[in-house]
Amino acid sequence: MDYRRYIAEKINVDGVSADEVASLLNVPPDPAMGDYALPCFRFAKALRKSPALIAQELAAAIPADEVIAQVTALNGYLNFRLNRAGLAKDVLSRILCEGERYGTSDVGGGRVVCIDYSSVNIAKPFHIGHLSTTVIGGALYRIFNFLGYRAVGINHLGDYGTQFGKLIAAYKKWGSREEVEKGGIHAINDLYVRFNNEADEQMEHEAREYFRLIESGDKEANELFDWFKSLTLAYVQTIYDRLHITFDSYAGERFYTDKMAPVVEELRQKGLLKESEGAQIVDLEPYGMPPALILRSDGASLYLTRDLAAAIYRHDTYHFYKCLYVVAYQQNLHFKQLFKVLELMGREWAKDMVHVAYGMVSLEDGAMSTRKGKVVWLEDVLSRCVEKARAVLEEKSPDLENKDEVAELVGVGAVAFGALCNNKIKDITFSYDRALNFDGETSVYLQYTCARAASVLAKAKAEGIAAGEAPDVQPCEAEAELVKQLAAFPDAVVQAAEKYEPSLVSRCLLDIAKQFNKFYLECKIMQAEGDVRAFRLALTRAALTALKNGLTLLGIGVPEKM
Ligand code: ARG
């Protein structure tokens, strides 16, 4: 049941809709105040009364019923206390009945949400800078699907540009098939770095020539290019597998090669294109932005040109409700320009495009040695974190059987959670030790809480005690609080989608876990008897269900035991 709605419908204030009231209802920080509170300050002007008086009058007009146990007025706030037993029964039966589906809904109604994320660059390192786009995008992808939208995951590959000419030139001069086959992406990257360090005029010329050959469809140049591309994709796939990331489309920049001319033509016809120092631009000065560069003076297209073609293609192909770009805030201007140009072209759907910007991730021990010098490869961060997780497990759970598998879930989860637990726009500094702290606001804390709940349930099962339906029991404070945290999960998922903010799910899970552990310590589950024990077991199962569903949305694995 949606308690906010239920309460809102009981409140009559002239000229204020139930929706508005529902959005004003908040959860007081101190549970002693009540389960929900309605600030009455907003109504004072319209009703020409003091908020305190409004709260008093409203309180007197709302009778207690099977959901609302008590309504009190305090300092301009209307405080609601819900019927704990009723709430517990309602929430638990819903979670236990829905299981893996708890938190889903059909708010999406099948509407399509395109999500452009990860979008790696072929033949370039997959580095720590790609962590956030990959895991935030992946989480949004699952969250939207969970809510009944149809998410389309797009990896807008960076597979266009002169760097491929350079790469081929370097390969021809210094590379060999065996070496690249053996070294994969790392060998390719070495060649590229070497070109940038050592290439002379002659090689630069060759590079331009090879790029031209790729563009003109030359067989050998394209074979080499395809080979580099497939090596890169095979490599990034190993990382996507570890992070539980999937895509529906790998249409990258190159895919739009033949789709840009019509866009440029349309710009020209609509009188938007201007010549400036030989280049073709769209003047955005009236909107306070630098010009959007569409074609260079040599006729070459740009990143923005390909994004224009891609946006139009996505709209025409998927008829999206929203089109999201999970890309670092460094590209703010790029997306503002992109959306503006589309708007000027008369594409009314430009308003449905969203740049989901996020902050920077840096490593605490910046001195970490990587195979590649300055660039921190994501793969190395994952391996290092898994290694550290293995050591922590050795210490905390020496008897654990499958330590390697658990260390993989814990270590990889910790890296992902690093980019998922804070407001995404914040710059963060990742610390292995902090991320692997069993008692911190970490994924390992969540995983450990799941393992703890699972072990209680396993113990009950071993003793032949069923953790079935929740019997009618008057919950104590800790139990009632846990029920409330669990009840908040579906709304957290909806909010995460609405605000493009997976950290709202993370925060909700941390709240649930904290409250579960409080309950676990205060209420002896297995030492209780009869209905009380049955109720506590049901609560334990419900908590495990909500935590698992949330972690799955975030792409974080849950070990059975820890
Ligand atoms: N490959 C680009 C980069 O690494 C990100 C692409 C983002 N997506 C887009 N449609 N522009 O910076």
Side-chain angles (χ1 to χ4, degrees):
M1 159 160 5
D2 184 346
Y3 296 99
R4 276 202 170 81
R5 267 236 74 89
Y6 185 90
I7 295 173
E9 269 157 21
K10 299 268 165 194
I11 294 173
N12 284 314
V13 178
D14 281 344
V16 184
S17 70
D19 275 342
E20 229 170 298
V21 175
S23 71
L24 286 173
L25 280 170
N26 58 44
V27 177
D30 176 6
M33 307 286 290
D35 299 312
Y36 286 101
L38 178 71
C40 297
F41 308 93
R42 285 262 195 101
F43 314 138
K45 212 168 162 198
L47 299 180
R48 297 167 179 277
K49 283 181 202 161
S50 75
L53 187 61
I54 297 171
Q56 273 168 23
E57 288 181 1
L58 286 173
I62 303 169
D65 60 16
E66 72 275 16
V67 175
I68 300 172
Q70 198 188 31
V71 191
T72 46
L74 187 70
N75 302 334
Y77 280 89
L78 198 55
N79 292 330
F80 295 85
R81 180 165 292 292
L82 299 182
N83 177 341
R84 283 179 174 175
L87 180 67
K89 198 164 170 61
D90 185 40
V91 173
L92 293 186
S93 67
R94 180 162 153 210
I95 300 177
L96 298 181
C97 157
E98 293 181 349
E100 280 177 6
R101 312 265 324 142
Y102 178 60
T104 54
S105 75
D106 53 7
V107 285
R111 282 173 294 179
V112 174
V113 177
C114 289
I115 313 180
D116 177 323
Y117 58 104
S118 200
S119 300
V120 287
N121 299 321
I122 298 301
K124 292 241 187 100
F126 191 37
H127 58 80
I128 183 81
H130 296 112
L131 171 66
S132 299
T133 172
T134 305
V135 299
I136 293 173
L140 290 174
Y141 178 79
R142 282 180 294 262
I143 288 171
F144 276 102
N145 277 330
F146 201 61
L147 294 175
Y149 293 88
R150 200 159 65 73
V152 180
I154 303 172
N155 199 331
H156 185 75
L157 301 176
D159 54 3
Y160 192 101
T162 47
Q163 76 261 31
F164 298 104
K166 295 182 184 173
L167 187 57
I168 294 179
Y171 173 74
K172 289 272 183 179
K173 181 152 181 147
W174 302 303
S176 74
R177 186 159 277 275
E178 301 77 66
E179 226 174 280
V180 171
E181 234 140 48
K182 202 163 122 241
I185 179 91
H186 299 290
I188 296 176
N189 187 58
D190 286 345
L191 286 170
Y192 186 66
V193 170
R194 185 157 177 199
F195 182 97
N196 285 331
N197 290 336
E198 297 177 28
D200 53 13
E201 226 359 84
Q202 169 63 22
M203 275 188 87
E204 293 282 357
H205 171 76
E206 282 169 23
R208 280 191 295 275
E209 196 48 28
Y210 280 121
F211 176 62
R212 204 188 53 73
L213 284 173
I214 298 177
E215 293 303 288
S216 63
D218 174 78
K219 191 158 170 279
E220 195 209 353
N222 273 285
E223 269 169 14
L224 281 172
F225 172 80
D226 288 341
W227 181 44
F228 295 142
K229 179 164 166 173
S230 67
L231 283 174
T232 308
L233 287 182
Y235 169 78
V236 293
Q237 189 57 46
T238 60
I239 293 176
Y240 290 149
D241 288 345
R242 297 177 78 182
L243 290 167
H244 307 113
I245 297 295
T246 56
F247 297 94
D248 301 295
S249 161
Y250 284 85
E253 296 188 40
R254 260 189 97 63
F255 178 75
Y256 299 100
T257 307
D258 60 351
K259 298 176 181 59
M260 289 183 278
V263 179
V264 175
E265 190 45 41
E266 184 181 334
L267 285 167
R268 186 169 286 127
Q269 274 178 15
K270 291 188 169 155
L272 292 165
L273 223 48
K274 261 199 195 166
E275 197 183 305
S276 166
E277 294 168 35
Q280 299 294 319
I281 63 154
V282 175
D283 180 17
L284 296 178
E285 213 190 321
Y287 312 99
M289 287 181 242
L293 202 49
I294 304 294
L295 292 179
R296 273 207 294 256
S297 52
D298 63 0
S301 65
L302 289 109
Y303 179 53
L304 181 68
T305 325
R306 294 185 284 280
D307 256 333
L308 279 170
I312 292 170
Y313 175 84
R314 286 176 198 175
H315 176 265
D316 295 350
T317 307
Y318 303 111
H319 311 286
F320 56 71
Y321 156 69
K322 294 274 179 211
C323 180
L324 315 183
Y325 296 85
V326 187
V327 183
Y329 64 60
Q330 278 87 345
Q331 294 193 28
N332 276 354
L333 176 63
H334 169 76
F335 287 103
K336 271 172 71 180
Q337 290 180 316
L338 172 65
F339 302 164
K340 191 46 125 186
V341 173
L342 287 166
E343 187 192 314
L344 294 173
M345 291 172 85
R347 309 283 168 152
E348 54 81 28
W349 46 263
K351 64 175 183 357
D352 303 322
M353 327 233 2
V354 185
H355 175 204
V356 179
Y358 59 82
M360 263 185 21
V361 180
S362 47
L363 287 182
E364 192 179 55
D365 56 348
M368 181 180 104
S369 79
T370 68
R371 279 171 278 169
K372 292 295 153 284
K374 279 222 173 62
V375 180
V376 179
W377 292 65
L378 185 52
E379 178 195 10
D380 290 342
V381 177
L382 293 178
S383 309
R384 173 119 178 221
C385 202
V386 168
E387 207 179 285
K388 290 201 169 225
R390 181 76 170 73
V392 174
L393 287 170
E394 201 64 67
E395 188 198 313
K396 296 251 179 198
S397 324
D399 302 329
L400 193 66
E401 277 161 22
N402 52 344
K403 282 201 198 77
D404 287 334
E405 283 144 59
V406 177
E408 169 74 14
L409 297 182
V410 168
V412 172
V415 174
F417 200 68
L420 292 169
C421 63
N422 290 305
N423 194 320
K424 63 185 182 300
I425 200 69
K426 270 206 216 158
D427 288 337
I428 52 169
T429 308
F430 183 80
S431 139
Y432 293 98
D433 293 334
R434 243 184 299 130
L436 290 172
N437 180 352
F438 271 58
D439 303 314
E441 299 200 320
T442 57
S443 49
V444 63
Y445 173 67
L446 297 174
Q447 289 166 323
Y448 185 72
T449 305
C450 287
R452 176 176 261 182
S455 98
V456 173
L457 296 173
K459 190 157 176 240
K461 195 171 169 200
E463 293 181 19
I465 305 164
E469 264 177 45
D472 280 318
V473 160
Q474 184 61 35
C476 69
E477 191 74 38
E479 291 164 337
E481 267 311 295
L482 178 53
V483 168
K484 254 168 64 186
Q485 303 290 6
L486 294 173
F489 177 68
D491 194 45
V493 180
V494 170
Q495 293 298 323
E498 250 167 45
K499 303 203 166 79
Y500 314 115
E501 188 60 87
S503 69
L504 294 173
V505 172
S506 312
R507 301 323 298 182
C508 177
L509 298 183
L510 289 168
D511 287 342
I512 291 175
K514 268 183 226 162
Q515 194 55 40
F516 175 81
N517 286 307
K518 198 160 175 232
F519 151 77
Y520 177 85
L521 294 176
E522 282 176 21
C523 310
K524 308 278 172 246
I525 304 169
M526 290 304 284
Q527 273 121 286
E529 279 175 7
D531 274 359
V532 172
R533 183 175 58 196
F535 177 79
R536 289 180 181 170
L537 285 171
L539 193 48
T540 302
R541 194 145 70 87
L544 178 58
T545 303
L547 286 172
K548 261 194 183 165
N549 291 4
L551 282 168
T552 306
L553 284 179
L554 298 177
I556 295 175
V558 183
E560 304 252 316
K561 282 188 192 165
M562 264 175 81

